[in-house]
Amino acid sequence: MTGGRVGRAAEAGLRFLPTRRQELGRAMLAEAAVAEAGPRRRKWLRAACWFIVKGAAPVWLRWTAIAVSALFICWIGYNGIDSGFHGTPVEVASYLGLVALLTLNIVLLARRDR
């Protein structure tokens, strides 16, 4: 659609937008492609890039939160294995509660797209 590195990067970024917002992103890039080269095209490209970044950021944040939660669960499990699963009842309850909350976090964040 649009030439140049910025236009190609914006086109590649469209796939990270929610489905209902991809059409508007394509329309913005098409408008930028029609504009004359110069300040007007750059303005359209900047607006399209900002729209794409702003729309894709929640998706990236959600998947980052899922990955961090999973890594933290693995780290808690590793520390439990390292200590032979010994601990006071309060420690065991706090570990189990934290793992349950992180697992719930992963499930709720993953189901948000549906």
Side-chain angles (χ1 to χ4, degrees):
M1 238 188 277
T2 59
R5 288 180 286 175
V6 175
R8 286 192 304 270
E11 288 174 13
L14 281 175
R15 65 187 171 116
F16 296 112
L17 285 175
T19 309
R20 62 187 185 281
R21 306 288 283 178
Q22 287 179 2
E23 190 62 35
L24 183 56
R26 282 190 192 90
M28 291 177 78
L29 289 176
E31 187 70 31
V34 173
E36 293 180 16
R40 185 171 177 200
R41 178 178 284 175
R42 285 192 300 271
K43 185 177 179 179
W44 271 104
L45 283 175
R46 279 195 307 266
C49 288
W50 175 246
F51 176 78
I52 291 168
V53 167
K54 188 174 67 169
V59 175
W60 281 102
L61 287 173
R62 183 171 58 246
W63 287 107
T64 302
I66 289 171
V68 169
S69 295
L71 285 172
F72 200 66
I73 289 172
C74 292
W75 180 71
I76 289 171
Y78 172 77
N79 285 334
I81 291 169
D82 193 40
S83 68
F85 294 108
H86 296 296
T88 65
V90 174
E91 289 174 338
V92 171
S94 67
Y95 288 143
L96 291 176
L98 186 58
V99 168
L101 286 174
L102 288 172
T103 304
L104 180 65
N105 182 41
I106 290 171
V107 169
L108 291 176
L109 285 171
R111 288 181 53 139
R112 186 163 188 270
D113 285 340
R114 295 180 194 149

